[in-house]
């Protein structure tokens, strides 16, 4: 492993995997272990969209029963991360244009409500401090071209904001939407290191500005930035979707 790869691996290890953000009461089971392993492999772009998930291979890799694998795949299908196709098996889900728009537009509306609730919290500036550290790690991952680490931290930023509200339902919905966002990025996100780096660096800057505006209680400005932040994601992904279709 090269020094650069070692640095990237270390940065990735400091970034929370998608499964680690799921509510803790779901963690203590063999089913969750298998579910989490497959989910993280998909959201980390190890198992790419369209990939066939063979039960026998998963049983061997996870050292578990076929029933456990089937149950995990059923849960992932419920979360729209995996597709179960009759007589063909399980495949990593491939989102279409409508799903891209639906997921990100849902996030815009949901996070608008979340930001409105956050601004009403007492001592919000103090509560936000740990997220500044997360942004520093996000910027570090971006600078090192650690795409997995950056993607994990970029999603975790939005999920951790919801955690401040202590609302388990909102938290689970946000985590699911961010997991689906990560899957979308796996299909249509930036492939170039240079362009991807600029995009991720811009995201870090906007995340920092979001925290500053929330801490200052600037409701109108932070909601405008949120819509620009996620709206820009939609525009880039729509462009990538159209380019991919033209290529094929």
């Amino acid at each position: 492993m090269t020094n650069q790869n070692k640095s990237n691996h270390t940065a990735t290890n400091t970034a929370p995997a998608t499964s680690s953000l799921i509510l803790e009461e779901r963690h203590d089971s063999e089913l969750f272990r298998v579910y989490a392993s497959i989910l993280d492999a998909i959201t980390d772009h190890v198992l790419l969209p369209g990939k066939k998930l063979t039960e026998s291979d998963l049983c061997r890799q996870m050292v578990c029963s076929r029933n456990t694998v089937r149950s995990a795949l059923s849960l992932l299908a419920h979360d729209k991360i995996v597709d179960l196709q009759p007589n063909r098996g399980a495949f990593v889900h491939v989102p279409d244009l409508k799903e891209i728009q639906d997921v990100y537009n849902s996030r815009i509306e949901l996070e608008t409500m979340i930001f409105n609730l956050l601004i009403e919290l007492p001592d919000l500036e103090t509560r936000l401090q740990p997220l500044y550290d997360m942004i520093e790690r996000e910027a570090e991952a971006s600078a090192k071209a650690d795409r997995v680490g950056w993607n994990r931290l970029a999603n975790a930023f939005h999920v951790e904001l919801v955690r401040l509200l202590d609302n388990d339902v909102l938290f689970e919905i946000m985590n699911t939407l961010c997991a689906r966002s990560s899957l979308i990025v796996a299909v249509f996100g930036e492939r170039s290191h240079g362009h991807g780096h600029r995009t991720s660096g811009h995201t870090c800057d906007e995340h920092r500005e979001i925290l500053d505006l929330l801490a200052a209680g600037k409701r109108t400005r932070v909601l405008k930035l949120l819509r620009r932040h996620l709206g820009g994601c939609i525009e880039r992904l729509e462009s990538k979707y159209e380019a991919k279709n033209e290529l094929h």
Side-chain angles (χ1 to χ4, degrees):
M1 185 181 289
T2 66
N3 288 336
Q4 180 64 47
N5 285 339
K6 286 179 181 177
S7 298
N8 287 355
H9 182 68
T10 300
T12 297
N13 282 346
T14 66
T18 300
S19 64
S20 71
L21 300 172
I22 295 172
L23 295 174
E24 291 183 3
E25 55 264 29
R26 290 183 57 188
H27 289 204
D28 190 21
S29 72
E30 177 72 353
L31 174 57
F32 179 82
R33 180 183 72 82
V34 175
Y35 169 89
S37 295
I38 301 172
L39 173 66
D40 291 338
I42 292 172
T43 55
D44 286 347
H45 309 167
V46 176
L47 295 173
L48 295 178
K51 168 74 175 177
K52 182 174 175 60
L53 302 173
T54 306
E55 288 183 5
S56 58
D57 289 343
L58 292 172
C59 289
R60 185 172 60 255
Q61 293 163 13
M62 307 289 175
V63 191
C64 67
S65 70
R66 190 175 289 265
N67 282 341
T68 301
V69 165
R70 285 177 179 167
S71 296
L73 292 174
S74 292
L75 288 175
L76 289 162
H78 177 269
D79 294 340
K80 307 299 182 185
I81 302 297
V82 164
D83 291 329
L84 298 179
Q85 301 181 12
N87 303 318
R88 293 195 64 213
F91 296 81
V92 180
H93 178 64
V94 180
D96 59 16
L97 180 60
K98 183 177 186 301
E99 183 173 348
I100 294 171
Q101 295 166 336
D102 288 351
V103 167
Y104 278 90
N105 282 322
S106 295
R107 284 187 57 181
I108 288 172
E109 297 308 319
L110 182 66
E111 292 187 60
T112 295
M113 179 183 72
I114 288 164
F115 282 19
N116 276 316
L117 293 171
L118 284 171
I119 283 179
E120 301 301 323
L121 289 179
D123 303 321
L124 179 59
E125 186 174 0
T126 301
R127 298 181 190 217
L128 291 174
Q129 289 311 304
L131 276 81
Y132 281 100
D133 175 65
M134 178 174 284
I135 292 171
E136 291 306 313
R137 287 185 284 141
E138 183 185 343
E140 179 185 353
S142 172
K144 292 179 177 178
D146 175 13
R147 290 192 53 184
V148 171
W150 170 75
N151 184 60
R152 285 182 176 187
L153 288 159
N155 282 329
F157 171 80
H158 292 267
V159 178
E160 291 298 334
L161 277 173
V162 186
R163 195 192 294 274
L164 297 177
L165 296 174
D166 192 27
N167 184 317
D168 290 350
V169 174
L170 282 179
F171 184 83
E172 289 192 322
I173 293 171
M174 193 69 236
N175 199 21
T176 298
L177 284 174
C178 282
R180 293 178 70 174
S181 299
S182 183
L183 179 62
I184 289 168
V185 170
V187 188
F188 306 110
E190 301 295 349
R191 293 298 177 191
S192 160
H193 267 303
H195 194 183
H197 173 69
R198 290 197 296 274
T199 302
S200 59
H202 182 62
T203 299
C204 295
D205 292 340
E206 289 190 340
H207 284 172
R208 189 174 290 106
E209 188 177 357
I210 283 171
L211 291 188
D212 290 343
L213 292 172
L214 282 171
K218 303 292 186 181
R219 186 189 307 267
T220 301
R221 287 178 59 189
V222 76
L223 293 181
K224 183 177 180 181
L225 175 58
L226 170 68
R227 289 184 176 272
R228 186 174 80 233
H229 178 63
L230 293 178
C233 292
I234 296 175
E235 291 175 2
R236 288 190 297 273
L237 290 164
E238 285 175 337
S239 176
K240 286 287 182 179
Y241 180 88
E242 291 169 1
K244 191 178 182 77
N245 275 359
E246 288 175 3
L247 182 65
H248 290 290

